[in-house]
Amino acid sequence: MSGDALSQDPAELQRRIDSSKAHPARVYDVFLGGKDHYAADREAAAAALAANPRGYLDVRHNRDFLRRAVTTLVEQDGIRQFLDIGTGLPTAENVHQIAQRITPESRVVYVDNDPVVLAHARALLTSGPDGRTDYIDADLRDPARILEQAAKTLDFDRPVALCLVAVLHFVADEEAYPLVSGLIDELPAGSRLVLSHLTEDLNPENIRAVQRTYTERGFTFVLRSRADVERFFTDNGLEVADPGVVPAHRWRPDHAAPVPEQPEESYLAGLEEIEKVRYRDINDVTDADINVYAAIGSKR
């Protein structure tokens, strides 16, 4: 566990938290049924859901892609190290839980810049005795700090899986491509890029309505085409694994997405729509529901 990030004074952490403005990590937490968010985050999530009533499928299938990706990399590709940038708030089946369940010696470094995530980061650091986890309080826009701190836990002479899952659509083009290239340049051969990204290619009307709800709240929110997403791989000489850059639910589906336990109908009836999404089974997904591309690429 990193002493640097987690030793911050609670009063200083509280000062950094702006609960009046929505934050992507906390809005994501709302959709995943978490508790660590504020009214502004719930309002943003509810507005996005109103704009696209099945938009929760994007969030939860994105999360399920991460489950399948980590499982594939550990079981089939022998990857034992993960650098997860834009981690978000702790939730069920974090990267280290998936990886260490399969290979206990796996090492995972989480990175986020939200003080609320930092306040809850200890939940991300429950590593098994054979592996290691760490948390870095840093912004994707500061790759030098991320890499310097990550090197305390990860061995950059061995392959690392860089996870940029549902984070790059919050970064403008002039920053996004150089940032990804800078990170990949520092990774050894055999490393992987795990990436997912929102797009307007698939169901433009729905996702553009969601985009408006976020941009009205001051977020950078860039919807990239398949060709634009592929650039994160091709610009860096990465070999994209089968089945390529595809809608998230079509990336090596195993039909094993967790099904939430269902409460009594009377309880569900009393919930707001945004509160109901945590109980919905996502296995009824169709192509008309998804606006997320997903892929894995390897560095030669």
Side-chain angles (χ1 to χ4, degrees), residues 1-10 12-13 16 118 121-122 125 134-138 145 148-150 152-153:
M1 180 181 296
S2 168
D4 297 338
L6 300 186
S7 62
Q8 291 202 15
D9 180 69
E12 172 62 17
L13 266 181
R16 287 179 55 194
L118 174 57
R122 291 184 188 277
L125 303 182
D134 199 358
Y135 179 87
I136 302 171
D137 178 28
R145 170 175 163 72
E148 177 188 5
Q149 295 296 314
K152 297 177 181 179
T153 300

Side-chain angles (χ1 to χ4, degrees), residues 126-199:
T126 54
S127 178
D130 298 322
R132 289 184 63 187
T133 61
D134 199 358
Y135 179 87
I136 302 171
D137 178 28
D139 193 292
L140 172 60
R141 296 172 180 83
D142 191 0
R145 170 175 163 72
I146 290 172
L147 292 166
E148 177 188 5
Q149 295 296 314
K152 297 177 181 179
T153 300
L154 305 179
D155 178 359
F156 281 94
D157 290 328
R158 296 170 53 225
V160 175
L162 170 63
C163 300
L164 295 172
V165 176
V167 65
L168 288 170
H169 41 253
F170 297 114
V171 185
D173 282 346
E174 61 269 20
E175 292 183 290
Y177 292 104
L179 283 171
V180 174
S181 294
L183 287 165
I184 290 173
D185 283 348
E186 298 302 316
L187 300 181
S191 292
R192 305 295 198 273
L193 172 62
V194 180
L195 185 145
S196 65
H197 200 296
L198 285 170
T199 183

Side-chain angles (χ1 to χ4, degrees), residues 34-288:
K35 303 288 187 185
D36 303 311
H37 50 259
Y38 297 96
D41 307 305
R42 287 177 61 82
E43 179 189 339
L49 188 67
N52 181 16
R54 285 174 66 80
Y56 65 90
L57 289 164
D58 279 332
V59 176
R60 290 184 49 202
H61 272 283
N62 175 75
R63 190 75 188 179
D64 201 55
F65 158 68
L66 179 63
R67 174 187 65 82
R68 300 193 307 277
V70 172
T71 300
T72 296
L73 290 177
V74 177
E75 286 187 342
Q76 299 181 20
D77 296 0
I79 298 295
R80 300 291 180 263
Q81 303 189 105
F82 293 83
L83 178 57
D84 182 4
I85 303 179
T87 298
L89 283 147
T91 186
E93 293 293 276
N94 298 294
V95 170
H96 75 279
Q97 293 166 317
I98 301 166
Q100 291 181 358
R101 183 169 58 243
I102 302 166
T103 306
E105 66 268 25
S106 298
R107 296 185 173 197
V108 179
V109 173
Y110 296 104
V111 183
D112 211 300
N113 70 332
D114 179 13
V116 175
V117 179
L118 174 57
H120 293 272
R122 291 184 188 277
L124 290 167
L125 303 182
T126 54
S127 178
D130 298 322
R132 289 184 63 187
T133 61
D134 199 358
Y135 179 87
I136 302 171
D137 178 28
D139 193 292
L140 172 60
R141 296 172 180 83
D142 191 0
R145 170 175 163 72
I146 290 172
L147 292 166
E148 177 188 5
Q149 295 296 314
K152 297 177 181 179
T153 300
L154 305 179
D155 178 359
F156 281 94
D157 290 328
R158 296 170 53 225
V160 175
L162 170 63
C163 300
L164 295 172
V165 176
V167 65
L168 288 170
H169 41 253
F170 297 114
V171 185
D173 282 346
E174 61 269 20
E175 292 183 290
Y177 292 104
L179 283 171
V180 174
S181 294
L183 287 165
I184 290 173
D185 283 348
E186 298 302 316
L187 300 181
S191 292
R192 305 295 198 273
L193 172 62
V194 180
L195 185 145
S196 65
H197 200 296
L198 285 170
T199 183
E200 62 182 353
D201 285 359
L202 305 173
N203 301 289
E205 185 176 345
N206 288 347
I207 196 62
R208 285 172 188 158
V210 172
Q211 181 185 43
R212 285 193 294 272
T213 71
Y214 283 104
T215 55
E216 287 167 359
R217 288 163 174 79
F219 291 173
T220 298
F221 203 85
V222 184
L223 301 172
R224 293 189 170 96
S225 68
R226 186 171 187 269
D228 292 336
V229 173
E230 287 175 337
R231 275 191 57 197
F232 289 113
F233 297 93
T234 57
D235 283 7
N236 297 296
L238 303 182
E239 182 179 355
V240 181
D242 289 337
V245 176
V246 296
H249 67 303
R250 293 193 172 277
W251 196 91
R252 303 190 188 183
D254 60 6
H255 309 291
V259 179
E261 287 189 27
Q262 296 301 302
E264 296 290 334
E265 282 295 328
S266 57
Y267 175 77
L268 276 177
L271 298 180
E272 298 176 13
E273 287 304 310
I274 193 62
E275 295 174 319
K276 294 178 182 178
V277 300
R278 77 183 72 175
Y279 299 111
R280 293 195 173 136
D281 182 355
I282 65 172
N283 291 294
D284 65 344
V285 66
T286 71
D287 290 348

